[in-house]
């Protein structure tokens, strides 16, 4: 109840994710700019005035702009407001005028003050012009706030649709309303509990729309997966003829341990993003770790209580194979399929690998970049103002670059040569030198290209090289965005190495096997490559629309790696249980597949539905993430789990469960040996 009451407060606190990178050159420049040139504040935004009939040189237009500027100067968080005339080289429309606004505060404070500042601006403009002039604000904070509003509205609708579709899928798979409703109840409750925790923790973990999206997706996905696994295993145990209490205990002892391992795998994958210096991403990772913990706790406490209290209503309507291996029973379809493909393992390995390699082939043509996705912003004032500037040759007005050069007090500024060199650069529209009269000189550069253009990023890199020997720093909206994207790109290889090494060590402990973790990691890499290859094929041909957003591979691979480990643990740990009991590798693989196929299939269908929901948001980066993850889960749950894995495990045979002797000696209480085929040496096996 407390969590539900906290939801309106959390919703009110939601903002766009901050783009500042801790310790970056642009972050240092912002601090120095606010100190040395106070009127410019810590961020600079541009107000764009537009009229279809009035021109900027008419008296009504000038009066309107002056009235808006006067109103803004009195607004909280506004340092100063100055006219921003386009240079003569700009192809300027006479129906446009601009104001440069310096705002102070950190990212959260700027977002919090933006609605009031915008309201003052719009009200003053409407009153002074009689509604004949419209106004919009362009800058990182306005643009990403509007992106946040767009995503939040569509994401809420997508999640509602996803929940309905998930319930239908679960009902079709489990055949009982109670069994289908419990996973949604547990997942929804876990999300609500964490939402309630985020309100008092908002000072440490600022809420933003990306954080909420990540938390909701993790909570929904893991809650459904884990609860489904527990319910399915409970159905198998209870059909073995044991008492309900014993079935619940057996479910927690077996499936509960699998849930714990899976949760730790997800948390380990998310933790690989913590080394990044992007504050917004760290907040998302922290909240994601909390969400995984809350979901796991709910699964291991609430679900057993529900199973014990309502066993007949929650137990699935039918199970293909009892969980107790010592009971006689006919093999189900999944076990027969596993035995069939294990009679021809190399054929299926070759076919599965060929399909994945062919799908991955186009990944060599992938082109990474960044785009503000203007079509999704067309209905917002910031997007309309940005497009008006770009259409009229003043795209760089919103991409101001601030080059700060310190100097000893009492010395003359030495910037004339630099200003002339920069001003002659064909990428630069204008370069203006300013000095604070004490210890700092500023070179304000307006480029020709837009805020998110690669040309502007190259110009910023050149300016940094030119001023590095003078202790200069380069800031401004474009520099902040560039540092954010550079950090994401630079961190990619580091995160990949952490994921692969951490995943190998974790699976080594979970499976007590040396070869199974290697197999799982190679399969994950192949599925990821195939998913991005199919994304490249799905993108429209030609133009910027062929570009994959630069942070899509990072986010998608981390989520995919975690979920793939999730399904790998579901499947292989069940196979290991059977192998420990019988020593028969073929029987363990076929039986383990039989026991887990339904839960993995249903979980995969639900997760595919969740990720397809991201494609309805209209934001290009979310559409791409949703596509990659939906395709990856589909490939993983079909070609990999139900074909490639059983076939490879048949080929590996007893070596599936091999672990080098130095590790085994530490566990004298483990199972001494497992029976092997006649004529073959027996392998010592650890529980």
């Amino acid at each position: 109840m407390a969590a539900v009451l906290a939801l309106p407060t959390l919703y009110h606190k939601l903002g766009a994710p901050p783009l500042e990178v801790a310790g970056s050159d642009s972050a240092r420049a912002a601090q120095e700019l606010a100190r040395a040139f106070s009127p410019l504040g810590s961020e600079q935004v541009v107000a764009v005035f537009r009229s279809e009939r009035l021109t900027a040189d008419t008296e009504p237009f000038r009066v309107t702009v002056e009235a808006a500027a006067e109103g803004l100067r009195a607004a909280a968080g506004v340092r100063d407001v100055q006219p921003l005339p386009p240079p003569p080289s700009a192809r300027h429309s006479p129906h446009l005028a601009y104001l440069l606004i310096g705002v102070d505060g950190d990212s959260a404070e700027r977002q919090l003050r933006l609605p009031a500042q915008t309201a003052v601006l719009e009200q003053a403009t409407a009153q002074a012009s009689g509604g004949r002039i419209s106004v919009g604000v362009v800058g990182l904070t306005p643009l990403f706030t509007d992106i946040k509003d767009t995503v939040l509205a569509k994401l809420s609708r997508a999640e509602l649709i996803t929940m309905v579709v998930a319930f239908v899928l679960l009902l079709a798979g489990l055949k009982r309303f109670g069994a289908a409703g419990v996973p949604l109840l547990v997942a929804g409750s876990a999300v609500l509990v964490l939402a309630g925790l985020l309100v008092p923790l908002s000072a440490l973990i600022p809420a933003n729309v990306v954080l909420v999206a990540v938390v909701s997706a993790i909570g929904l996905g893991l809650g459904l997966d884990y609860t489904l696994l527990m319910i399915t295993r409970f159905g198998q145990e209870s059909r073995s003829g044991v008492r309900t209490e014993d079935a619940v205990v057996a479910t927690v002892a077996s499936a509960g341990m699998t849930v714990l391992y899976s949760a730790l795998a997800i948390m380990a994958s998310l933790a690989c993003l913590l080394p990044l210096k992007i504050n917004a991403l760290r907040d998302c990772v922290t909240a994601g770790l909390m969400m995984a913990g809350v979901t796991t706790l709910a699964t291991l406490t609430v679900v057993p209580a529900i199973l014990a209290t309502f066993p007949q209503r929650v137990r699935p309507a039918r199970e293909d194979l009892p969980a107790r291996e010592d009971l006689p029973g006919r093999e189900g379809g999944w076990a027969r399929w596993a035995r069939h493909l294990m009679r021809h393992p190399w054929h299926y390995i070759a076919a599965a690998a060929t399909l994945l390699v062919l799908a991955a082939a186009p990944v060599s043509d992938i082109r990474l970049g960044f785009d503000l996705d203007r079509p999704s912003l067309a209905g917002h004032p910031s997007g309309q103002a940005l497009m008006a500037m770009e259409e009229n040759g003043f795209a760089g007005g919103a991409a101001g670059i601030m080059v700060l050069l310190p100097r000893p007090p009492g010395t003359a500024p030495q910037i004339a040569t630099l200003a002339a060199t920069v001003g002659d650069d064909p990428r630069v529209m204008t370069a203006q030198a300013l000095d604070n009269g004490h210890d700092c000189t500023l070179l304000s550069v307006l480029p020709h290209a837009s805020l998110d253009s690669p040309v502007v990023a190259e110009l910023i890199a050149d300016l940094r090289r030119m001023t590095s020997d003078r202790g200069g720093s380069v800031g401004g909206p474009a520099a902040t965005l560039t540092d954010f994207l550079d950090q994401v790109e630079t961190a990619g290889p580091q995160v990949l190495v952490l994921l692969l090494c951490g995943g190998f060590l974790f699976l080594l402990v979970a499976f007590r096997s040396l070869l199974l973790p290697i197999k799982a990691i190679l399969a994950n890499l192949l599925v990821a490559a195939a998913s991005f290859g199919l994304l490249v094929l799905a993108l429209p041909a030609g133009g910027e629309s062929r570009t994959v957003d630069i942070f899509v591979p990072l986010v998608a691979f981390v989520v995919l790696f975690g979920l793939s480990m999730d399904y790998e643990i579901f499947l292989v740990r069940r196979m290991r249980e059977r192998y420990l009991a019988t020593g028969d590798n073929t029987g363990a693989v076929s039986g383990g597949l039989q026991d887990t196929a339904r839960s993995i299939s249903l979980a995969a269908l639900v997760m595919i539905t969740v990720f397809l929901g991201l494609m309805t948001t209209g934001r290009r980066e979310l559409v791409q993430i949703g596509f990659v993850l939906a395709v990856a889960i589909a490939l993983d749950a079909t070609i990999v789990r139900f074909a490639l894995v059983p076939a490879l495990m048949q080929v590996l045979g007893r070596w599936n469960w091999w672990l080098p002797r130095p590790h085994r000696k530490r566990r004298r209480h483990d199972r001494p040996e497992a029976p092997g085929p006649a004529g073959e040496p027996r392998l010592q096996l650890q529980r």
Side-chain angles (χ1 to χ4, degrees), residues 202-278:
S202 59
L204 299 175
I205 310 175
N208 63 72
V209 66
V210 175
L211 183 148
V212 170
V214 169
V215 166
S216 300
I218 291 176
L220 181 60
L222 297 187
L224 292 173
D225 282 2
Y226 295 166
T227 308
L228 185 59
L229 178 65
M230 296 281 285
I231 289 176
T232 303
R233 188 59 183 266
F234 174 73
Q236 295 170 346
E237 293 289 347
S238 60
R239 285 185 178 277
S240 300
V242 300
R243 296 184 309 160
T244 297
E245 294 79 2
D246 294 334
V248 172
V249 171
T251 298
V252 174
S254 54
M257 185 59 66
T258 299
V259 166
L260 183 60
Y261 272 113
S262 300
L264 291 174
I266 292 287
M267 296 171 77
S269 298
L270 289 174
C272 291
L273 292 173
L274 288 175
L276 272 68
K277 298 179 181 179
I278 302 173

Side-chain angles (χ1 to χ4, degrees), residues 181-212:
V182 171
L184 296 177
L185 175 65
V186 172
S189 299
V191 172
L192 286 176
V193 168
L194 187 64
L197 293 175
L198 288 177
V199 173
L201 295 175
S202 59
L204 299 175
I205 310 175
N208 63 72
V209 66
V210 175
L211 183 148
V212 170

Side-chain angles (χ1 to χ4, degrees), residues 625-636:
I625 290 174
F627 178 89
V628 168
L629 291 176
V631 169
I633 295 301
L635 294 175
D636 187 88

Side-chain angles (χ1 to χ4, degrees), residues 1 8 58-59 64 70 181 190 194 209-210 241 267-268 305 344 370 428 456-457 463 491 546-547 560 568 603 643 663:
M1 179 61 69
T58 61
E59 184 67 18
T64 298
E70 190 63 27
L194 187 64
V209 66
V210 175
M267 296 171 77
H344 314 280
F370 178 76
V428 173
V456 175
L463 290 171
R546 292 286 289 182
T547 301
L560 169 61
E568 183 80 5
H663 295 278

Side-chain angles (χ1 to χ4, degrees), residues 287-313:
L289 293 172
M290 294 173 60
M291 185 74 259
V294 170
T295 305
T296 304
L297 183 62
T299 303
L300 297 179
T301 56
V302 176
V303 174
I306 294 176
L307 295 177
T309 307
F310 308 103
Q312 297 302 321
R313 296 183 180 181

